[in-house]
Amino acid sequence: MIPAPIPTDDERRLLALREMPILDTPPEERFDRVVRFAADEFDMPIVLVSLIDANRQWFKARVGAWTSARPAASRRSAATPSPGPR
């Protein structure tokens, strides 16, 4: 797979992510409910809620995946959202 280009506003996205106290936090039932629902509703074996920082893709909630993070080299796809205009 060809990695998607890093958006020009990626530094702003990373700053917004660092300002939210969510990275490396314990599992939360509200996120776990979302992934369980999506897995059941869409009959998907793997569902993730992931956050992408500068060095890794970190999974806040997951169904069907055993790892909690993966390296930055494999972190980005064309579906990665950016924070939008300010």
Side-chain angles (χ1 to χ4, degrees):
M1 173 180 10
I2 299 171
I6 295 177
T8 57
D9 63 348
D10 202 48
E11 284 303 315
R12 191 170 55 128
R13 181 192 66 79
L14 289 169
L15 178 62
L17 179 61
R18 284 189 294 268
E19 289 175 349
M20 295 186 323
I22 194 168
L23 284 176
D24 299 314
T25 57
E28 295 180 51
E29 180 58 28
R30 60 188 173 158
F31 290 101
D32 294 341
R33 271 195 314 267
V34 169
V35 294
R36 284 194 309 265
F37 172 80
D40 290 342
E41 187 69 18
F42 300 107
D43 194 28
M44 299 301 297
I46 298 174
V47 177
L48 306 164
V49 171
S50 66
L51 302 164
I52 301 171
D53 69 11
N55 302 310
R56 68 198 165 126
Q57 180 178 12
W58 179 72
F59 305 129
K60 176 64 178 168
R62 62 191 184 273
V63 167
W66 59 269
T67 187
S68 62
R70 59 189 215 170
S74 60
R75 71 186 172 106
R76 215 175 264 288
S77 71
T80 302
S82 63
R86 277 196 176 186

Coordinates of all heavy atoms in Angstrom, one line a residue:
M1 N 0.8 -1.2 0.0 CA 0.0 0.0 0.0 C 0.9 1.2 0.0 O 1.9 1.3 0.7 CB -0.9 0.0 1.2 CG -1.6 1.3 1.3 SD -2.8 1.6 2.6 CE -2.7 0.5 3.9
I2 N 0.5 2.2 -0.8 CA 1.2 3.5 -0.9 C 0.7 4.4 0.2 O -0.5 4.6 0.3 CB 1.1 4.2 -2.2 CG1 1.6 3.3 -3.3 CG2 1.7 5.5 -2.2 CD1 1.3 3.8 -4.7
P3 N 1.6 4.8 1.1 CA 1.1 5.7 2.2 C 0.6 7.0 1.7 O 1.1 7.6 0.7 CB 2.3 5.9 3.1 CG 3.5 5.5 2.3 CD 3.0 4.6 1.2
A4 N -0.4 7.5 2.4 CA -1.0 8.8 2.0 C 0.0 9.9 2.4 O 0.7 9.8 3.4 CB -2.3 9.0 2.7
P5 N 0.0 11.0 1.7 CA 0.9 12.1 2.0 C 0.4 12.7 3.4 O -0.7 12.7 3.7 CB 0.7 13.1 0.9 CG -0.6 12.7 0.2 CD -0.8 11.3 0.5
I6 N 1.4 13.2 4.1 CA 1.1 13.8 5.4 C 0.5 15.2 5.1 O 1.1 16.0 4.3 CB 2.3 14.0 6.3 CG1 2.8 12.6 6.6 CG2 2.1 14.8 7.5 CD1 4.1 12.5 7.4
P7 N -0.7 15.5 5.7 CA -1.3 16.8 5.4 C -0.5 18.0 5.8 O 0.3 17.9 6.7 CB -2.6 16.7 6.2 CG -2.8 15.3 6.5 CD -1.5 14.7 6.6
T8 N -0.7 19.1 5.1 CA 0.1 20.3 5.5 C -0.2 20.8 6.8 O 0.6 21.5 7.4 CB -0.1 21.4 4.4 OG1 -1.5 21.7 4.4 CG2 0.4 21.0 3.0
D9 N -1.4 20.5 7.4 CA -1.7 21.0 8.7 C -1.5 20.0 9.8 O -2.1 20.0 10.9 CB -3.2 21.5 8.7 CG -4.2 20.4 8.4 OD1 -3.8 19.3 8.0 OD2 -5.4 20.6 8.6
D10 N -0.7 19.0 9.5 CA -0.5 17.9 10.5 C 0.1 18.4 11.8 O -0.3 17.8 12.9 CB 0.4 16.8 9.9 CG 0.2 15.5 10.6 OD1 -0.9 15.1 10.8 OD2 1.2 14.8 11.0
E11 N 0.9 19.4 11.9 CA 1.4 19.9 13.1 C 0.3 20.4 14.0 O 0.3 20.2 15.2 CB 2.5 21.0 12.9 CG 3.8 20.4 12.5 CD 4.4 19.4 13.5 OE1 4.4 19.7 14.7 OE2 4.9 18.3 13.0
R12 N -0.7 21.1 13.4 CA -1.8 21.6 14.1 C -2.6 20.4 14.7 O -3.1 20.4 15.8 CB -2.7 22.4 13.2 CG -3.7 23.2 14.0 CD -4.4 24.2 13.1 NE -4.9 23.6 11.9 CZ -6.1 23.7 11.4 NH1 -7.0 24.5 12.0 NH2 -6.5 23.1 10.3
R13 N -2.8 19.3 13.9 CA -3.5 18.2 14.4 C -2.8 17.5 15.5 O -3.4 17.2 16.5 CB -3.7 17.1 13.2 CG -4.4 15.9 13.6 CD -4.3 14.8 12.5 NE -2.9 14.3 12.4 CZ -2.4 13.4 13.3 NH1 -3.0 13.0 14.3 NH2 -1.1 13.1 13.1
L14 N -1.5 17.4 15.4 CA -0.7 16.8 16.5 C -0.8 17.6 17.8 O -0.9 17.1 18.9 CB 0.7 16.6 16.1 CG 1.0 15.5 15.1 CD1 2.4 15.6 14.5 CD2 0.7 14.1 15.7
L15 N -0.8 18.9 17.7 CA -0.9 19.8 18.8 C -2.3 19.6 19.5 O -2.4 19.5 20.7 CB -0.7 21.3 18.4 CG -0.9 22.3 19.5 CD1 0.2 22.1 20.6 CD2 -0.8 23.7 18.9
A16 N -3.3 19.6 18.7 CA -4.7 19.3 19.2 C -4.7 18.0 20.0 O -5.3 17.9 21.0 CB -5.7 19.4 18.1
L17 N -4.1 17.0 19.4 CA -4.1 15.6 20.0 C -3.4 15.7 21.3 O -3.8 15.1 22.3 CB -3.5 14.6 19.1 CG -3.4 13.2 19.6 CD1 -4.8 12.6 19.9 CD2 -2.7 12.3 18.6
R18 N -2.2 16.3 21.4 CA -1.4 16.4 22.6 C -2.2 17.2 23.7 O -2.0 16.9 24.9 CB -0.1 17.0 22.3 CG 0.9 16.1 21.7 CD 2.3 16.6 21.6 NE 2.4 17.8 20.7 CZ 2.7 17.8 19.4 NH1 3.0 16.7 18.8 NH2 2.8 18.9 18.8
E19 N -3.0 18.2 23.3 CA -3.8 18.9 24.3 C -4.9 18.2 24.9 O -5.4 18.5 26.0 CB -4.3 20.2 23.6 CG -3.2 21.2 23.4 CD -3.7 22.4 22.6 OE1 -4.8 22.5 22.1 OE2 -2.9 23.4 22.5
M20 N -5.4 17.1 24.3 CA -6.4 16.3 24.8 C -5.8 15.2 25.7 O -4.9 14.5 25.3 CB -7.2 15.6 23.7 CG -8.0 16.5 22.8 SD -9.0 15.7 21.6 CE -8.2 14.3 21.1
P21 N -6.3 15.1 26.9 CA -5.7 14.1 27.8 C -6.3 12.7 27.5 O -7.0 12.1 28.3 CB -6.1 14.6 29.2 CG -7.4 15.3 29.0 CD -7.3 15.9 27.6
I22 N -5.9 12.1 26.4 CA -6.5 10.8 26.0 C -5.4 9.8 25.7 O -5.6 8.6 25.9 CB -7.5 10.9 24.9 CG1 -8.4 9.7 24.8 CG2 -6.9 11.3 23.6 CD1 -9.6 9.8 23.9
L23 N -4.3 10.2 25.1 CA -3.3 9.2 24.7 C -2.8 8.4 25.9 O -2.6 9.0 27.0 CB -2.1 9.9 24.0 CG -2.3 10.3 22.6 CD1 -1.1 11.1 22.1 CD2 -2.6 9.1 21.7
D24 N -2.6 7.1 25.8 CA -2.1 6.3 26.8 C -2.9 6.2 28.1 O -2.4 5.9 29.2 CB -0.6 6.7 27.2 CG 0.3 6.5 26.0 OD1 0.2 5.5 25.3 OD2 1.1 7.5 25.7
T25 N -4.2 6.4 27.9 CA -5.1 6.3 29.0 C -5.7 4.9 29.0 O -5.7 4.2 28.0 CB -6.3 7.3 28.9 OG1 -7.0 7.1 27.7 CG2 -5.8 8.7 29.0
P26 N -6.2 4.4 30.2 CA -6.8 3.1 30.2 C -8.0 2.9 29.3 O -8.6 3.9 28.9 CB -7.1 2.9 31.7 CG -6.5 4.0 32.4 CD -6.2 5.1 31.4
P27 N -8.4 1.7 29.1 CA -9.7 1.5 28.3 C -10.8 2.2 29.0 O -10.9 2.3 30.2 CB -9.8 0.0 28.3 CG -8.5 -0.6 28.6 CD -7.8 0.4 29.4
E28 N -11.8 2.6 28.2 CA -13.0 3.2 28.7 C -14.2 2.5 28.1 O -14.3 2.3 26.9 CB -13.1 4.7 28.4 CG -12.0 5.5 29.0 CD -12.1 7.0 28.7 OE1 -13.2 7.6 28.8 OE2 -11.1 7.5 28.3
E29 N -15.2 2.2 29.0 CA -16.4 1.5 28.5 C -17.1 2.2 27.4 O -17.6 1.5 26.4 CB -17.3 1.2 29.7 CG -18.6 0.5 29.3 CD -18.3 -0.9 28.7 OE1 -17.3 -1.5 29.1 OE2 -19.2 -1.4 28.0
R30 N -17.1 3.5 27.4 CA -17.9 4.2 26.3 C -17.2 3.9 24.9 O -17.9 3.8 23.9 CB -18.0 5.7 26.6 CG -16.7 6.4 26.7 CD -16.9 7.8 27.2 NE -15.6 8.4 27.5 CZ -15.4 9.7 27.5 NH1 -16.4 10.5 27.3 NH2 -14.2 10.2 27.8
F31 N -15.9 3.9 24.8 CA -15.3 3.6 23.6 C -15.4 2.1 23.2 O -15.6 1.7 22.1 CB -13.8 4.0 23.6 CG -13.6 5.4 23.7 CD1 -13.3 6.1 24.8 CD2 -13.6 6.2 22.5 CE1 -13.1 7.5 24.9 CE2 -13.4 7.6 22.5 CZ -13.1 8.2 23.7
D32 N -15.3 1.2 24.3 CA -15.4 -0.2 24.1 C -16.8 -0.6 23.5 O -17.0 -1.4 22.7 CB -15.1 -1.0 25.4 CG -13.7 -0.8 25.8 OD1 -12.8 -0.5 25.0 OD2 -13.4 -1.1 27.0
R33 N -17.8 0.1 24.0 CA -19.2 -0.1 23.5 C -19.3 0.2 22.0 O -20.0 -0.5 21.3 CB -20.2 0.8 24.3 CG -20.7 0.1 25.5 CD -22.0 0.8 26.1 NE -21.8 2.3 26.2 CZ -21.4 2.9 27.2 NH1 -21.1 2.3 28.3 NH2 -21.4 4.2 27.2
V34 N -18.7 1.3 21.6 CA -18.7 1.7 20.2 C -18.1 0.6 19.3 O -18.7 0.2 18.3 CB -18.0 3.1 20.0 CG1 -17.8 3.4 18.5 CG2 -18.7 4.2 20.7
V35 N -16.9 0.1 19.7 CA -16.3 -0.9 18.8 C -17.1 -2.2 18.8 O -17.2 -2.9 17.8 CB -14.8 -1.1 19.1 CG1 -14.0 0.1 18.8 CG2 -14.6 -1.5 20.5
R36 N -17.6 -2.6 20.0 CA -18.4 -3.8 20.0 C -19.7 -3.7 19.2 O -20.1 -4.6 18.4 CB -18.8 -4.1 21.5 CG -17.7 -4.7 22.3 CD -18.2 -5.4 23.6 NE -19.0 -4.5 24.4 CZ -18.6 -3.7 25.4 NH1 -17.3 -3.7 25.7 NH2 -19.5 -2.9 26.0
F37 N -20.4 -2.5 19.3 CA -21.5 -2.3 18.5 C -21.2 -2.3 17.0 O -21.9 -3.0 16.2 CB -22.1 -0.9 18.8 CG -23.3 -0.5 17.9 CD1 -24.5 -1.0 18.0 CD2 -23.0 0.3 16.8 CE1 -25.5 -0.7 17.1 CE2 -24.0 0.7 15.9 CZ -25.3 0.2 16.1
A38 N -20.1 -1.7 16.6 CA -19.8 -1.6 15.1 C -19.4 -3.1 14.7 O -19.8 -3.5 13.6 CB -18.6 -0.7 14.9
A39 N -18.7 -3.8 15.5 CA -18.3 -5.2 15.1 C -19.6 -6.0 14.9 O -19.7 -6.8 13.9 CB -17.4 -5.8 16.2
D40 N -20.5 -5.9 15.8 CA -21.8 -6.7 15.7 C -22.7 -6.2 14.6 O -23.2 -7.0 13.8 CB -22.6 -6.6 17.0 CG -21.9 -7.3 18.2 OD1 -21.0 -8.2 17.9 OD2 -22.3 -7.0 19.3
E41 N -22.9 -4.9 14.5 CA -23.8 -4.3 13.5 C -23.3 -4.6 12.1 O -24.1 -4.8 11.2 CB -23.9 -2.8 13.8 CG -25.0 -2.1 12.9 CD -26.4 -2.5 13.3 OE1 -26.6 -3.1 14.4 OE2 -27.3 -2.3 12.4
F42 N -22.0 -4.5 11.8 CA -21.5 -4.6 10.5 C -20.8 -5.9 10.2 O -20.2 -6.1 9.2 CB -20.6 -3.4 10.2 CG -21.3 -2.1 10.3 CD1 -21.0 -1.3 11.4 CD2 -22.2 -1.7 9.3 CE1 -21.7 0.0 11.5 CE2 -22.9 -0.5 9.4 CZ -22.6 0.3 10.5
D43 N -20.9 -6.8 11.2 CA -20.3 -8.2 11.1 C -18.8 -8.1 10.7 O -18.4 -8.7 9.7 CB -21.1 -9.0 10.1 CG -20.7 -10.5 10.2 OD1 -20.3 -10.9 11.3 OD2 -20.9 -11.2 9.2
M44 N -18.1 -7.3 11.4 CA -16.7 -7.1 11.2 C -15.8 -7.7 12.2 O -16.1 -7.6 13.4 CB -16.3 -5.6 11.1 CG -17.1 -4.8 10.1 SD -16.8 -5.4 8.4 CE -15.1 -5.1 8.2
P45 N -14.8 -8.5 11.8 CA -13.9 -9.2 12.8 C -13.0 -8.2 13.5 O -12.5 -8.6 14.7 CB -13.1 -10.2 12.0 CG -13.1 -9.6 10.6 CD -14.4 -8.8 10.4
I46 N -12.6 -7.1 12.9 CA -11.7 -6.1 13.6 C -12.3 -4.7 13.5 O -12.7 -4.3 12.4 CB -10.3 -6.2 12.9 CG1 -9.7 -7.5 13.1 CG2 -9.4 -5.1 13.5 CD1 -8.4 -7.7 12.3
V47 N -12.4 -4.1 14.6 CA -12.9 -2.7 14.7 C -12.0 -2.0 15.7 O -11.7 -2.5 16.8 CB -14.4 -2.6 15.2 CG1 -14.8 -1.2 15.3 CG2 -15.3 -3.4 14.2
L48 N -11.5 -0.8 15.3 CA -10.6 0.0 16.1 C -11.0 1.5 16.2 O -11.6 2.0 15.3 CB -9.2 0.0 15.5 CG -8.6 -1.4 15.1 CD1 -7.4 -1.2 14.2 CD2 -8.1 -2.0 16.4
V49 N -10.8 2.0 17.4 CA -10.8 3.5 17.6 C -9.4 3.8 17.8 O -8.8 3.4 18.8 CB -11.7 3.9 18.8 CG1 -11.5 5.4 19.0 CG2 -13.1 3.6 18.5
S50 N -8.8 4.5 16.8 CA -7.3 4.8 16.9 C -7.0 6.3 16.9 O -7.8 7.0 16.3 CB -6.6 4.0 15.8 OG -6.9 4.6 14.5
L51 N -5.9 6.6 17.5 CA -5.4 8.0 17.5 C -4.0 7.9 17.0 O -3.2 7.0 17.4 CB -5.4 8.5 19.0 CG -6.8 8.5 19.6 CD1 -6.7 8.7 21.1 CD2 -7.7 9.6 19.0
I52 N -3.7 8.8 16.1 CA -2.3 8.8 15.5 C -1.5 10.0 16.0 O -1.9 11.1 15.7 CB -2.5 8.8 14.0 CG1 -3.3 7.6 13.5 CG2 -1.1 8.8 13.3 CD1 -3.7 7.7 12.1
D53 N -0.4 9.7 16.7 CA 0.5 10.8 17.1 C 1.6 10.8 16.1 O 1.6 10.1 15.1 CB 0.9 10.7 18.6 CG 1.8 9.5 18.9 OD1 2.3 8.8 18.0 OD2 2.0 9.2 20.1
A54 N 2.7 11.5 16.5 CA 3.8 11.6 15.5 C 4.6 10.3 15.3 O 5.2 10.1 14.3 CB 4.8 12.7 16.1
N55 N 4.5 9.4 16.3 CA 5.3 8.2 16.2 C 4.6 6.9 16.1 O 5.2 5.8 15.9 CB 6.2 8.1 17.5 CG 7.1 9.3 17.6 OD1 7.8 9.7 16.6 ND2 7.1 9.9 18.8
R56 N 3.3 6.9 16.3 CA 2.6 5.6 16.3 C 1.1 5.8 16.1 O 0.6 7.0 16.3 CB 2.8 4.9 17.7 CG 2.1 5.7 18.8 CD 2.6 5.3 20.1 NE 2.2 6.3 21.0 CZ 1.5 6.1 22.2 NH1 1.2 4.9 22.5 NH2 1.2 7.1 22.9
Q57 N 0.4 4.7 15.9 CA -1.0 4.7 15.8 C -1.4 3.9 17.1 O -1.0 2.8 17.3 CB -1.5 4.0 14.6 CG -3.0 3.9 14.5 CD -3.5 3.2 13.2 OE1 -2.7 2.6 12.5 NE2 -4.8 3.3 12.9
W58 N -2.2 4.6 18.0 CA -2.5 4.0 19.3 C -4.0 3.7 19.3 O -4.8 4.5 18.9 CB -2.2 5.0 20.4 CG -2.5 4.5 21.7 CD1 -1.9 3.5 22.4 CD2 -3.6 4.9 22.6 NE1 -2.5 3.3 23.7 CE2 -3.5 4.2 23.8 CE3 -4.5 5.9 22.4 CZ2 -4.4 4.4 24.8 CZ3 -5.4 6.1 23.5 CH2 -5.3 5.3 24.7
F59 N -4.4 2.5 19.8 CA -5.8 2.1 19.7 C -6.4 2.3 21.1 O -6.1 1.6 22.1 CB -5.8 0.6 19.3 CG -5.2 0.3 18.0 CD1 -4.2 -0.7 17.9 CD2 -5.4 1.1 16.9 CE1 -3.6 -1.0 16.7 CE2 -4.8 0.8 15.7 CZ -3.9 -0.2 15.6
K60 N -7.3 3.2 21.1 CA -8.1 3.5 22.4 C -9.1 2.4 22.7 O -9.3 2.1 23.8 CB -8.8 4.8 22.2 CG -9.7 5.2 23.4 CD -8.9 5.4 24.7 CE -9.8 5.8 25.8 NZ -9.1 5.8 27.1
A61 N -9.6 1.8 21.6 CA -10.6 0.7 21.8 C -10.4 -0.3 20.7 O -10.1 0.2 19.5 CB -12.0 1.2 21.9
R62 N -10.6 -1.6 20.9 CA -10.4 -2.5 19.8 C -11.2 -3.8 20.1 O -11.4 -4.2 21.2 CB -8.9 -2.8 19.7 CG -8.3 -3.5 20.9 CD -6.8 -3.5 20.7 NE -6.1 -4.2 21.8 CZ -5.8 -3.6 22.9 NH1 -6.0 -2.4 23.2 NH2 -5.2 -4.3 23.9
V63 N -11.6 -4.4 19.0 CA -12.2 -5.7 18.9 C -11.5 -6.5 17.9 O -11.3 -6.0 16.8 CB -13.7 -5.6 18.6 CG1 -14.3 -7.0 18.2 CG2 -14.5 -5.0 19.7
G64 N -11.0 -7.7 18.2 CA -10.3 -8.5 17.2 C -8.9 -8.2 16.9 O -8.3 -8.8 16.0
A65 N -8.3 -7.3 17.6 CA -6.9 -6.9 17.4 C -6.2 -7.1 18.8 O -6.7 -6.6 19.8 CB -6.7 -5.5 16.9
W66 N -5.0 -7.7 18.8 CA -4.4 -8.0 20.1 C -3.4 -6.9 20.5 O -3.1 -6.7 21.7 CB -3.7 -9.3 20.1 CG -2.6 -9.4 19.0 CD1 -2.8 -9.8 17.7 CD2 -1.3 -9.0 19.1 NE1 -1.7 -9.7 17.0 CE2 -0.7 -9.2 17.8 CE3 -0.5 -8.5 20.1 CZ2 0.6 -8.9 17.5 CZ3 0.9 -8.2 19.8 CH2 1.4 -8.4 18.5
T67 N -2.9 -6.1 19.6 CA -1.9 -5.1 19.9 C -2.6 -3.7 20.2 O -3.7 -3.5 19.8 CB -1.0 -4.9 18.7 OG1 0.1 -4.0 19.1 CG2 -1.6 -4.3 17.5
S68 N -2.0 -2.9 21.1 CA -2.5 -1.6 21.4 C -1.9 -0.5 20.7 O -2.4 0.7 20.8 CB -2.3 -1.4 22.9 OG -1.0 -1.3 23.2
A69 N -0.9 -0.7 19.8 CA -0.3 0.3 19.0 C 0.5 -0.3 17.9 O 0.7 -1.5 17.9 CB 0.6 1.2 19.9
R70 N 0.8 0.5 16.9 CA 1.7 0.1 15.9 C 2.6 1.3 15.5 O 2.2 2.4 15.7 CB 1.0 -0.5 14.7 CG 0.0 0.3 14.0 CD -0.8 -0.5 13.1 NE -1.1 0.3 11.9 CZ -1.6 -0.1 10.8 NH1 -1.9 -1.4 10.7 NH2 -1.9 0.7 9.8
P71 N 3.8 1.0 14.9 CA 4.7 2.1 14.6 C 4.2 3.1 13.5 O 3.3 2.8 12.7 CB 5.9 1.4 14.0 CG 5.5 0.0 13.8 CD 4.2 -0.3 14.5
A72 N 4.8 4.3 13.6 CA 4.4 5.3 12.7 C 4.5 4.9 11.2 O 3.7 5.4 10.4 CB 5.2 6.6 12.9
A73 N 5.5 4.1 10.8 CA 5.7 3.7 9.4 C 4.5 3.1 8.8 O 4.2 3.2 7.6 CB 6.9 2.8 9.3
S74 N 3.6 2.4 9.7 CA 2.5 1.8 9.1 C 1.2 2.4 9.6 O 0.1 1.9 9.5 CB 2.4 0.3 9.6 OG 2.4 0.3 11.0
R75 N 1.3 3.7 10.0 CA 0.1 4.3 10.7 C -0.9 5.0 9.8 O -2.0 5.3 10.2 CB 0.7 5.3 11.7 CG 1.3 6.5 11.1 CD 1.9 7.4 12.2 NE 2.6 8.5 11.5 CZ 2.2 9.7 11.5 NH1 1.1 10.1 12.1 NH2 3.0 10.7 11.0
R76 N -0.5 5.4 8.7 CA -1.4 6.4 7.9 C -2.0 5.7 6.7 O -1.3 5.0 6.0 CB -0.5 7.6 7.5 CG -1.3 8.8 7.6 CD -0.5 10.0 7.3 NE 0.0 10.7 8.5 CZ -0.8 11.4 9.3 NH1 -2.0 11.5 9.1 NH2 -0.3 12.0 10.3
S77 N -3.2 6.0 6.5 CA -3.9 5.7 5.3 C -4.6 6.9 4.7 O -4.7 7.9 5.4 CB -4.9 4.5 5.6 OG -6.0 5.1 6.3
A78 N -5.1 6.8 3.6 CA -5.8 7.9 2.9 C -7.1 8.3 3.7 O -7.6 9.4 3.5 CB -6.2 7.6 1.5
A79 N -7.6 7.5 4.6 CA -8.8 7.8 5.4 C -8.5 8.5 6.7 O -9.4 8.8 7.4 CB -9.5 6.5 5.7
T80 N -7.3 8.9 6.9 CA -6.9 9.6 8.2 C -7.5 11.0 8.1 O -7.1 11.8 7.2 CB -5.4 9.7 8.4 OG1 -4.9 8.4 8.4 CG2 -5.1 10.4 9.6
P81 N -8.4 11.4 9.0 CA -9.0 12.7 9.0 C -8.0 13.7 9.6 O -7.2 13.5 10.4 CB -10.2 12.6 9.9 CG -9.9 11.5 10.8 CD -9.0 10.5 10.1
S82 N -8.2 15.0 9.1 CA -7.4 16.1 9.7 C -8.4 16.9 10.5 O -9.6 16.8 10.4 CB -6.8 16.9 8.6 OG -7.7 17.4 7.7
P83 N -7.9 17.9 11.3 CA -8.8 18.6 12.2 C -9.8 19.6 11.6 O -10.6 20.2 12.2 CB -7.9 19.3 13.2 CG -6.6 19.4 12.4 CD -6.5 18.2 11.5
G84 N -9.7 19.9 10.3 CA -10.6 20.8 9.6 C -10.1 22.2 9.8 O -9.2 22.5 10.5
P85 N -10.8 23.2 9.1 CA -10.4 24.6 9.1 C -10.6 25.2 10.5 O -11.5 24.8 11.2 CB -11.2 25.2 8.1 CG -12.4 24.3 7.9 CD -11.9 22.9 8.3
R86 N -9.8 26.2 10.8 CA -10.0 27.0 12.0 C -10.2 28.4 11.6 O -9.8 28.9 10.7 CB -8.8 26.9 12.9 CG -8.8 25.7 13.7 CD -7.8 25.8 14.8 NE -7.9 24.7 15.7 CZ -7.3 24.5 16.8 NH1 -6.5 25.4 17.2 NH2 -7.5 23.4 17.5

